[in-house]
Structures are given as structure tokens and as C-alpha cells.
Amino acid sequence: MSSHHILLSESDRAKPDISDIIEPISIKIPNELSGMRLDVALATIIPELSRNRLTNWIKKGHVLVNNQKLNPKDKIFGNEDVVVIPIISDEALAFTPENIPLEVIYVDEHILIINKPAGLTVHPGNNNWSGTLLNALLYHYPELHSIPRAGIVHRLDKDTTGLMVVARTLSAQTNLVRQLQKRSIERIYRALVIGTVPKAGTIEKNIGRDAHNRTKMTTLELGGRVAITHYRVLYYLNNFSYIECKLETGRTHQIRVHLKSIGHPLVGDPVYGSKKINCAPNIINTIKNLDRQALHALKLSFIHPQNNQIMSFKIPLANDIKLVLAQLNLELDQNNVDPLDNLEDKHEWEIIYAK
């Protein structure tokens, strides 16, 4: 399905959303939930809020049961009066809206899709407290002040370009996060890597912090978090491979770390890449001018959190990556699209495990 506007009915527009509520929420526990844990019961009654969020609010004393603070695991008996006091994210309160241009390729009342440029950090942190996507979102969409992380659902590295989905309501954010947890959001990337990569495969290696450099990630035999990247080669270009990657999980620096682990780091990657590249001087200069990893989030597909329609978006390659590909004699059309763009259906992927 190509991207297009969703038509919302008047009833959809008028429907109240939990993200609009900043006053305490008063509910009564139904008798049929007797014996259930408090956090589970609340997640059942208020499905717009994730259980993790509710558990956090209970622990912080923002949930009162008959005017008493309980623990998430405490059992309820039915007919209790519960008051839920929403916590507005510290991030939404602390960060300042900034008039940073955004390329928004789709927007409705529940979500927006942006094409993130290189050089834009997604979220404040590590002494980088301004000039981020979050600051830009708070400026252009003031309602995001009341939503954790200003509606940000997933991240791209600072110098990775391409598609991101942002939630405009708390219920939409919760829904999209659950889709990510179920691995049902399809994220397809294009990358240029060093060397001749096997034609197709799957890299399944846990990822965690590098014990020798805590700012870097690495693959781990023990510990870390499960990480799965499917890939296939689109073109072999001299001593390079132009590949397509599909994420099954979304760990920090996942594609960059996984490809390095099999000996094929991304071109231009300042952290995980190689400084020695065997190629012509003009290509080396073009890669230096790229000044970032050659990684682009090309396609994003998910279920719309409000009307359950399948949404699918694609964005052409960033021009700086296109210039590198042109130096390697890969011809793309005027829209930066290559002939293999129509091979993205799941059944087209041949899964070969590359340990």
C-alpha cells in the first residue's frame, strides 16, 4: 500500500483521547476483576495506557486505591475507588520547543511521518540538550508536551536518514510501542558496506555495551539483548556491496554493529567503520564528503493505531548516499529509486543464517 491520507469520520475526531487528560482519572474496579493484580486490572480497564506505564505510576504513588498507595502486585477485590494521577513526562516539561525545520510527509490526528535528515539527533541526552528532533516536535506540535518523549516511538541514529513515525496521542504511542514489541512494524533500510557480502542472510547476535568503550555497542556471546537483522545484496559495486536490511528487532546501532561483526562495516561509519578502503581516490574523497554512515531508512510499514489500516511509506535515498553510489557507477532514476525497489515483500526474502 502506498502512502496516502486517511479519511477520519466526524465520530473519530470527536472521540476523547486519554492523552488529553491531565487531571486525575477516577474509576471503580469492576467486581469481575476480583483477585487480579492492580497493574493488570488497570491495564485491562484503561487499554490506552501500557501496563509498564501504569506500573511505573503505581510505584511512584500516582495511583490511589481507596485513598491508599499500593504496589503493582497487590490484589484487588472489586468495587474499589481508584484515582490515577497522570505523570507528565519530565522530558516534555524540561525541553524547550525550537523552530527546527521538519520534513513531514504524512500527518493526521494520531500520527505523523517524518523524513529525518542527517545530523539531527532524535532525543536529548549525553549533554546534547538542544537542537534535537524532540525540540522540533514540541515547537511544531505543541500538544506533544503531554506525551512521553514528545510522541517519539523509535529512533534513528543522528547521522542516519529516513523515515520515522511519531505518535500525536498517548493511545497512539502505546499502540505503536506494542507493535514494535510484537515485531510487527516493518522497517527496511538501504546501506552501502565495505567488501563483498554473501548474497543474503540473517545475523542473529546479541548486542550490548562494549566493556572497553561504554559509548559503543558490540555483539556478545553472553548477555546483551537479542538482535536480529535480515539482509540481502542488491548490487555488488567493485569492493563494495549495496544492500537492503530488514530489522526484526531495534537495538541501538543494530545494523552498524551487526554488519561490522561479519566483517562488512558501513561505508563512512565513524564509530564502527574502517579507515582503510581499497578504492580510487575520487571515491575516497566522495566517502569523506559523505561524513556519515551510508545508512537510510527507506520504508516503514505498520498498522494505523486508530483505524487499523495498513500504512506503508517509502522515501527516496538521501542525495549524499546517491552521490557515493553514482561514483561507484550505480545508476538510479531521477527519484533515487533503483530497479529492485519492488522486491520488498516478505516472501522475497531468502533467510540464510550468518552466525
Side-chain angles (χ1 to χ4, degrees), residues 24-305:
I25 306 165
S26 297
I27 56 177
K28 186 177 285 290
I29 301 291
N31 288 325
E32 57 265 28
L33 299 185
S34 177
M36 191 176 287
R37 285 172 45 143
L38 175 59
D39 56 353
V40 177
L42 289 180
T44 302
I45 298 169
I46 317 174
E48 295 88 352
L49 293 173
S50 70
R51 181 174 161 187
N52 285 341
R53 180 175 284 130
L54 288 164
T55 298
N56 183 48
W57 290 2
I58 295 169
K59 289 178 178 178
K60 291 185 176 181
H62 281 251
V63 175
L64 301 178
V65 180
N66 292 336
N67 289 321
Q68 295 184 349
K69 296 178 183 180
L70 299 181
N71 295 315
K73 295 181 180 180
D74 286 343
K75 297 290 192 298
I76 47 93
F77 300 97
N79 207 39
E80 292 96 336
D81 291 315
V82 178
V83 177
V84 179
I85 306 169
I87 298 177
I88 299 177
S89 165
D90 291 340
E91 295 162 349
L93 293 173
F95 301 134
T96 304
E98 296 180 37
N99 188 7
I100 300 169
L102 288 178
E103 183 181 353
V104 178
I105 66 169
Y106 174 86
V107 63
D108 64 29
E109 293 180 344
H110 308 278
I111 62 170
L112 59 98
I113 306 294
I114 66 166
N115 180 24
K116 192 190 84 66
L120 180 63
T121 299
V122 169
H123 197 278
N126 297 325
N127 297 319
N128 185 16
W129 300 108
S130 64
T132 70
L133 173 62
L134 183 143
N135 299 119
L137 289 169
L138 293 178
Y139 179 89
H140 295 287
Y141 301 92
E143 74 273 12
L144 297 180
H145 274 282
S146 63
I147 303 176
R149 301 179 302 281
I152 293 170
V153 175
H154 62 114
R155 302 186 186 191
L156 293 179
D157 293 341
K158 176 181 178 181
D159 289 323
T160 297
T161 52
L163 294 173
M164 290 184 62
V165 59
V166 176
R168 297 186 69 187
T169 67
L170 186 56
S171 58
Q173 186 183 48
T174 300
N175 181 286
L176 290 167
V177 168
R178 285 173 176 165
Q179 289 188 53
L180 279 170
Q181 292 171 342
K182 293 178 181 177
R183 303 181 184 178
S184 60
I185 292 183
E186 185 177 63
R187 290 166 289 170
I188 292 179
Y189 294 71
R190 291 287 168 86
L192 183 65
V193 301
I194 298 171
T196 302
V197 181
K199 189 169 181 61
T202 291
I203 306 169
E204 186 171 357
K205 298 181 180 181
N206 286 16
I207 288 177
R209 292 284 173 187
D210 190 322
H212 304 290
N213 185 345
R214 301 299 292 176
T215 64
K216 295 174 64 175
M217 310 300 289
T218 188
T219 55
L220 299 171
E221 292 293 331
L222 298 173
R225 303 181 69 188
V226 173
I228 303 171
T229 304
H230 306 292
Y231 73 88
R232 61 181 176 181
V233 176
L234 303 180
Y235 296 102
Y236 290 115
L237 302 163
N238 298 319
N239 192 36
F240 301 91
S241 300
Y242 178 41
I243 69 172
E244 187 168 87
C245 298
K246 179 156 60 175
L247 291 183
E248 190 168 322
T249 56
R251 309 306 179 203
T252 301
H253 301 171
Q254 179 172 320
I255 292 175
R256 299 163 65 188
V257 171
H258 268 174
L259 289 168
K260 178 190 177 183
S261 76
I262 62 170
H264 299 287
L266 268 66
V267 166
D269 193 325
V271 178
Y272 305 103
S274 173
K275 295 182 179 180
K276 295 182 180 180
I277 303 177
N278 183 21
C279 58
N282 63 317
I283 296 174
I284 292 176
N285 288 334
T286 303
I287 292 173
K288 286 182 179 179
N289 291 334
L290 178 65
D291 198 30
R292 69 177 181 97
Q293 64 269 9
L295 184 62
H296 178 78
L298 179 90
K299 182 180 178 183
L300 183 65
S301 301
F302 54 90
I303 304 296
H304 191 280

